[in-house]
């Protein structure tokens, strides 16, 4: 669902999720740990201006999924 940089709330809306704790635990933190996404302000992970973007690894992963489903 990531086309550009998105805030946590934007990502939750794109995924139709509403529970912040569940989103962070099941989606955001795993994607960060797997290096599929990165913070736009890594030195301030709790900033209210924090956004997230795909990494090269995340882009390649999405491409491989799309390629395998065609």
């Amino acid at each position: 669902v990531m086309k550009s940089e998105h805030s946590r709330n934007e990502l939750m809306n794109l995924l139709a999720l509403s529970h912040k704790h569940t989103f962070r635990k099941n989606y955001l933190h795993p994607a960060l740990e797997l290096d599929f996404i990165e913070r736009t302000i890594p030195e301030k992970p709790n900033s209210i201006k924090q956004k997230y973007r795909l990494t090269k690894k995340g882009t390649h992963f999405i491409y491989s999924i799309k390629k395998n489903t065609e």
Side-chain angles (χ1 to χ4, degrees):
V1 298
M2 295 184 80
K3 306 274 186 214
S4 60
E5 295 177 353
H6 299 284
S7 69
R8 185 191 70 221
N9 286 336
E10 290 170 337
L11 290 172
M12 289 176 63
N13 287 335
L14 288 167
L15 295 169
L17 299 171
S18 60
H19 194 263
K20 291 178 186 177
H21 176 74
T22 301
F23 172 73
R24 285 193 314 264
K25 180 182 173 195
N26 295 338
Y27 299 92
L28 188 62
H29 290 163
L32 286 165
E33 290 170 9
L34 291 169
D35 195 33
F36 289 156
I37 63 172
E38 64 187 3
R39 291 177 175 99
T40 59
I41 312 171
E43 63 279 1
K44 295 182 179 181
N46 297 321
S47 171
I48 61 171
K49 296 180 182 181
Q50 188 65 261
K51 292 193 177 197
Y52 302 89
R53 63 179 162 237
L54 279 175
T55 61
K56 286 183 182 181
K57 183 178 178 181
T59 303
H60 290 302
F61 179 72
I62 289 170
Y63 174 76
S64 69
I65 289 174
K66 286 181 180 180
K67 185 177 175 185
N68 289 332
T69 59
E70 293 177 346

